[in-house]
Amino acid sequence: RDYVLPLELARIVPSIPEGCIQPSAILKGQWMRLIWSAFLHLDDSHVYYNMASLLVKGVQLESQMGSQRFGALVAELLLLSHGFMALGCYFVGENYYELRYMSRSMCAAGFSAVLFALKVVLTHDDPGTSQLLSMALPTKYLAWAELLLIHYLIPQSSFAGHLAGVLAGFVHVKFIHPILMGSLWGGGRRRVIRQGWTQWLASALGTSRQRVWGR
């Protein structure tokens, strides 16, 4: 890290072992690993590939959402994807002895989980088709296909991290975004702000019997 960062930043930014996603360390209180791990990469090619992917996805999403909302989206997906990864790997590692390394010694770093989440957000409602290895498939399922393809071509890549990113994107488009837009229970953001979260929740619960759930 010393040859990449100015000396002042090198004193602040942790090394990969100190800042990577390590589930047991995170659940013991080292929460900053959830954030630092996104900005740490294994080598130059790792950085170049992830930043090129971010440029492609980011330009499209930021032009649609605006800079502030896009920044908030990235922050949300970072915490969601890395949180899912830490919890999932800890659960698997502690319940399956042969996979114990996933909870105790795994060390994952990079921005890939967030990139997969952004891919889901970008394509989830796309009605078209895309080409992947000369195969046509619905664009909205492209993130799932890339998840399997990358793991097949690059077995040492973090399948758990990429899967956590896809799940984070799914949670955003199916649950968090509708709530923020006020569409899940039929209310709007203005009503949420005006009445406050407590009154809005009470109203939603009081009228839920008249609505059909599971959209």
Side-chain angles (χ1 to χ4, degrees), residues 178-179 181-189 191-192 200 204 207 211 215:
I179 290 175
M181 294 296 102
S183 62
L184 190 58
W185 288 286
R189 281 184 297 172
R191 188 181 70 176
V192 173
W200 171 77
T207 58
R211 295 187 172 92
R215 288 187 297 167

Side-chain angles (χ1 to χ4, degrees), residues 10-210:
R11 293 170 178 168
I12 300 173
V13 178
S15 64
I16 290 179
E18 296 169 340
C20 65
I21 292 181
Q22 193 173 84
S24 60
I26 291 172
L27 292 178
K28 289 178 181 178
Q30 298 182 27
W31 304 109
M32 286 302 295
R33 286 177 177 268
L34 293 173
I35 299 174
W36 280 124
S37 56
F39 302 98
L40 301 173
H41 289 75
L42 303 181
D43 52 39
D44 291 350
S45 61
H46 194 196
V47 176
Y48 300 152
Y49 176 82
N50 280 353
M51 293 306 99
S53 181
L54 175 62
L55 180 62
V56 173
K57 299 174 178 66
V59 166
Q60 298 179 68
L61 286 171
E62 187 174 3
S63 63
Q64 297 173 14
M65 307 173 64
S67 297
Q68 291 184 345
R69 287 181 59 196
F70 176 68
L73 174 67
V74 170
E76 173 207 321
L77 294 178
L78 189 158
L79 293 175
L80 272 180
S81 59
H82 288 190
F84 285 164
M85 182 180 181
L87 290 174
C89 289
Y90 185 83
F91 175 82
V92 172
E94 293 301 306
N95 286 278
Y96 297 92
Y97 181 79
E98 62 275 15
L99 298 175
R100 185 65 57 89
Y101 72 93
M102 293 183 68
S103 64
R104 304 194 178 186
S105 61
M106 185 188 75
C107 186
F111 207 70
S112 300
V114 183
L115 294 174
F116 268 90
L118 290 174
K119 183 80 171 184
V120 174
V121 174
L122 185 62
T123 61
H124 77 281
D125 59 352
D126 192 318
T129 59
S130 297
Q131 293 287 329
L132 185 65
L133 296 181
S134 301
M135 294 186 299
L137 71 162
T139 301
K140 62 183 179 180
Y141 299 132
L142 193 59
W144 292 99
E146 290 183 356
L147 169 70
L148 299 176
L149 178 62
I150 289 178
H151 184 63
Y152 175 76
L153 296 177
I154 312 175
Q156 67 271 23
S157 64
S158 176
F159 181 80
H162 297 168
L163 177 60
V166 172
L167 295 178
F170 179 82
V171 168
H172 173 81
V173 299
K174 294 298 183 181
F175 300 102
I176 296 177
H177 181 70
I179 290 175
L180 292 177
M181 294 296 102
S183 62
L184 190 58
W185 288 286
R189 281 184 297 172
R190 293 181 181 178
R191 188 181 70 176
V192 173
I193 297 173
R194 184 171 60 248
Q195 296 181 348
W197 283 102
T198 303
Q199 295 180 9
W200 171 77
L201 181 59
S203 174
L205 292 175
T207 58
S208 62
R209 295 180 180 179
Q210 302 176 8

